[in-house]
Amino acid sequence: KAGVTQTPRYLIKTRGQQVTLSCSPISGHRSVSWYQQTPGQGLQFLFEYFSETQRNKGNFPGRFSGRQFSNSRSEMNVSTLELGDSALYLCASSSTGTANTGELFFGEGSRLTVL
Amino acid sequence: EDQVTQSPEALRLQEGESSSLNCSYTVSGLRGLFWYRQDPGKGPEFLFTLYSAGEEKEKERLKATLTKKESFLHITAPKPEDSATYLCAVPGRGATNKLIFGTGTLLAVQP
């Protein structure tokens, strides 16, 4: 069974540009969450989608957005990139609608560097 | 606001030297406490779920325990392959898969 796939794995952008990251969840999983991981802040929740609806959003500016498609694949977009957006962006999928088991399946992440 | 704090930030052990990692939490009604392992360049990998004080879970050299205010991850006779960042998390409120993570403990086990 294929795991969570994130593309691209690495990318370098300059300030002011925008970026789109993609996540394909495990087959059959309808929940997709996105996290930003930095050395100083750790894993910070960005947003969550379930059956194409955004259910939850973290404390990030409006430059961060996302969506989920009917096949459960998800994308996140960051516009007007800032140096502080450099991070590992992780996608996680789940077969359930709530974190009652705590078991999320993470991809390997997209490493974004903003110059 | 629910919070999770982990200590120490980093821990270096000799192979075979047992120790414990700490995760303290402040939540309004515990709905679960989760442990993950993260290897460099990889996403976190689920280890354990604990629901109530006194509960214990084991997997190979790892044992997770839970009290009313904190959780411990005990590592018995660690091996170099146990080197990783260990993260604990609690669930967000309501119908969500959101997890609130601590900043993790970076464990290095030297041969």
Side-chain angles (χ1 to χ4, degrees):
Chain A
K1 193 174 185 181
V4 177
T5 303
Q6 291 189 246
T7 57
R9 290 291 317 280
Y10 304 92
L11 65 167
I12 300 173
K13 295 285 187 178
T14 57
R15 281 180 299 174
Q17 287 187 310
Q18 74 166 17
V19 66
T20 299
L21 309 178
S22 179
C23 171
S24 293
I26 291 173
S27 178
H29 286 193
R30 291 190 293 161
S31 169
V32 173
S33 306
W34 289 89
Y35 291 81
Q36 180 195 66
Q37 187 173 32
T38 58
Q41 298 295 316
L43 274 150
Q44 299 287 309
F45 173 79
L46 280 159
F47 27 65
E48 176 202 2
Y49 290 88
F50 185 82
S51 294
E52 301 180 66
T53 300
Q54 186 181 88
R55 290 203 303 185
N56 223 325
K57 191 177 191 318
N59 189 25
F60 280 83
R63 300 184 296 107
F64 292 80
S65 63
R67 57 179 176 168
Q68 186 179 34
F69 302 96
S70 58
N71 61 357
S72 292
R73 190 177 70 85
S74 177
E75 288 181 348
M76 68 162 283
N77 183 276
V78 188
S79 61
T80 318
L81 285 166
E82 301 176 0
L83 295 179
D85 297 333
S86 295
L88 180 67
Y89 290 88
L90 290 160
C91 167
S93 76
S94 173
S95 60
T96 67
T98 61
N100 49 356
T101 67
E103 187 170 11
L104 299 184
F105 296 85
F106 283 85
E108 295 194 326
S110 292
R111 170 83 54 193
L112 171 65
T113 301
V114 182
L115 302 177
Chain B
E1 185 178 321
D2 295 345
Q3 282 190 316
V4 179
T5 304
Q6 292 187 247
S7 63
E9 288 187 13
L11 181 63
R12 181 173 293 179
L13 300 173
Q14 291 296 124
E15 185 172 1
E17 179 186 3
S18 301
S19 188
S20 296
L21 314 181
N22 177 266
C23 170
S24 62
Y25 58 88
T26 306
V27 301
S28 177
L30 183 65
R31 300 167 298 284
L33 186 293
F34 317 123
W35 283 96
Y36 280 78
R37 167 189 171 132
Q38 186 175 21
D39 292 305
K42 299 286 184 68
E45 180 181 354
F46 173 78
L47 289 173
F48 303 112
T49 298
L50 301 165
Y51 288 111
S52 56
E55 188 174 359
E56 297 182 353
K57 292 277 180 71
E58 283 189 70
K59 181 178 182 179
E60 296 181 358
R61 294 174 293 281
L62 301 176
K63 182 169 78 173
T65 62
L66 183 66
T67 73
K68 288 186 177 180
K69 292 187 177 181
E70 55 193 348
S71 178
F72 294 93
L73 185 65
H74 307 277
I75 304 176
T76 302
K79 298 182 177 181
E81 53 262 43
D82 295 322
S83 298
T85 296
Y86 291 87
L87 300 158
C88 70
V90 295
R93 301 186 188 187
T96 178
N97 273 310
K98 171 185 176 180
L99 294 184
I100 301 166
F101 282 90
T103 50
T105 294
L106 175 60
L107 174 66
V109 181
Q110 297 182 315

